[in-house]
Amino acid sequence: MQTEHARPEERRGRIAVGSQIRRWRTSRGRTLSQVATSSGLNVGYLSQIENDKASPSLAVLGLIADALDVPPAWFLMGDVPAPLVVRAPERPGTDGPLGRIEYVDGRGSRDVAIIEGVAKPGGRVGMHAHPGDEHHVVLRGRFRMTQGEHTVELGPGDYLRWDGSVPHDAEVIGDEEAALLIVRIRPRD
């Protein structure tokens, strides 16, 4: 049931865009008067839009977006969730045969895992497999990476990608500690 006390975005099924327009206008350091001049719209009408007392057409949203140099779709975004932050000392991790494995992403994603492996000289994972592609970047030290009949040696800055479902192994070569950043893409269900 509609009442005159309904919030503006609930009236007649309108989508409230005013707060997003105001946010982008102020973040760009623009006044209503400047946006009015750039868009050819009336200051009063712009104020009504920002206060969700007027519902702009798509054409009007386009004019405002052009005046603010943003895509019109940005005005249609609702509340955006805060980004996930994982502080380095709070990373979940384990000690294994290669060395220390830490989940840089905090295991917070359903489709990707970002892992940092730090290994002592001679550290080795052992042959293993799992679903999904893996992308590796050597951060420091040297690694010997083996999959099937393929063996490559990698040093700082080198990159390797392989299908994780094919058995593979990684070992540290040389006499210094080594670190590897791994991005594992998990298959979708």
Side-chain angles (χ1 to χ4, degrees):
M1 178 169 118
Q2 303 270 344
T3 69
E4 60 184 281
H5 300 291
R7 295 186 335 206
E9 67 271 17
E10 295 171 343
R11 286 188 220 131
R12 294 187 304 263
R14 289 188 289 180
I15 297 173
V17 295
S19 62
Q20 290 295 332
I21 291 172
R22 182 181 304 107
R23 182 169 74 89
W24 289 108
R25 178 180 60 77
T26 58
S27 75
R28 298 285 200 257
R30 307 287 306 275
T31 65
L32 278 173
S33 180
Q34 289 170 324
V35 174
T37 300
S38 297
S39 67
L41 299 169
N42 177 290
V43 171
Y45 180 48
L46 287 170
S47 177
Q48 288 180 337
I49 292 170
E50 283 194 3
N51 290 301
D52 291 319
K53 292 182 179 171
S55 184
S57 67
L58 289 177
V60 168
L61 284 178
L63 292 171
I64 297 169
D66 287 346
L68 296 176
D69 193 31
V70 299
W74 288 8
F75 300 147
L76 303 174
M77 295 186 325
D79 292 332
V80 177
L84 170 68
V85 175
V86 180
R87 304 287 179 198
E90 299 168 358
R91 293 178 185 169
T94 59
D95 292 312
L98 180 64
R100 177 95 180 137
I101 300 292
E102 291 185 355
Y103 289 84
V104 175
D105 63 352
R107 292 185 169 166
S109 175
R110 66 181 178 271
D111 57 355
V112 68
I114 303 173
I115 303 161
E116 181 180 12
V118 178
K120 297 193 180 318
R124 185 175 194 155
V125 174
M127 205 55 81
H128 66 288
H130 48 76
D133 283 352
E134 275 190 352
H135 303 262
H136 306 80
V137 177
V138 177
L139 302 174
R140 65 181 180 274
R142 298 194 57 78
F143 285 89
R144 179 176 296 120
M145 312 288 280
T146 303
Q147 185 176 51
E149 297 177 11
H150 306 283
T151 298
V152 294
E153 293 185 6
L154 304 173
D158 290 345
Y159 165 83
L160 174 139
R161 180 192 57 81
W162 59 29
D163 179 344
S165 66
V166 177
H168 53 277
D169 188 12
E171 65 180 302
V172 178
I173 53 176
D175 55 0
E176 64 181 80
E177 182 179 82
L180 185 67
L181 184 67
I182 304 165
V183 178
R184 183 180 297 159
I185 309 299
R186 296 181 181 126
R188 294 276 182 163
D189 294 335

